[in-house]
Amino acid sequence: MKKKNYYQEREHHLMCHEIYRLRVVEGLEVAAIVEKLCISRSRVYRALIIFEVDNPQKAAMMKKQGKEVTEEDYKKLLGEIASLKKDLT
């Protein structure tokens, strides 16, 4: 079996982290990740599993972390709050 050197191992770890971030935090579909990174579907699925097994705590934190709230989302929430307050009075 061929040994990986430090730089190859580090590059692999960073790729798995980026794939996991795109899928879990950004919510991209696998097809979009495949297109964006120019890799195969099987590599995406394998990277997702490897990252979750190797970094369970980091994976759990990334799952809890959501996508950033946009201004449009904020305006929707304000409108919903206003309508709920109106219903209460």
Side-chain angles (χ1 to χ4, degrees), residues 56-72:
Q57 291 177 334
K58 192 180 269 189
M61 288 186 67
M62 289 174 84
K63 283 182 181 178
K64 289 179 185 176
Q65 176 187 6
K67 195 173 181 183
E68 293 294 321
V69 177
T70 62
E71 188 174 334
E72 183 179 303

Side-chain angles (χ1 to χ4, degrees), residues 9-48:
E9 191 68 36
R10 179 75 178 146
E11 183 179 327
H12 182 260
H13 175 74
L14 291 173
M15 179 64 83
C16 289
H17 184 273
E18 178 64 9
I19 290 169
Y20 197 83
R21 186 190 67 77
L22 289 171
R23 179 73 177 117
V24 175
V25 177
E26 298 295 323
L28 289 180
E29 297 292 326
V30 172
I33 296 171
V34 167
E35 190 174 315
K36 183 175 183 161
L37 299 178
C38 299
I39 57 176
S40 68
R41 292 176 67 84
S42 61
R43 185 165 180 191
V44 171
Y45 288 117
R46 188 170 48 242
L48 291 171

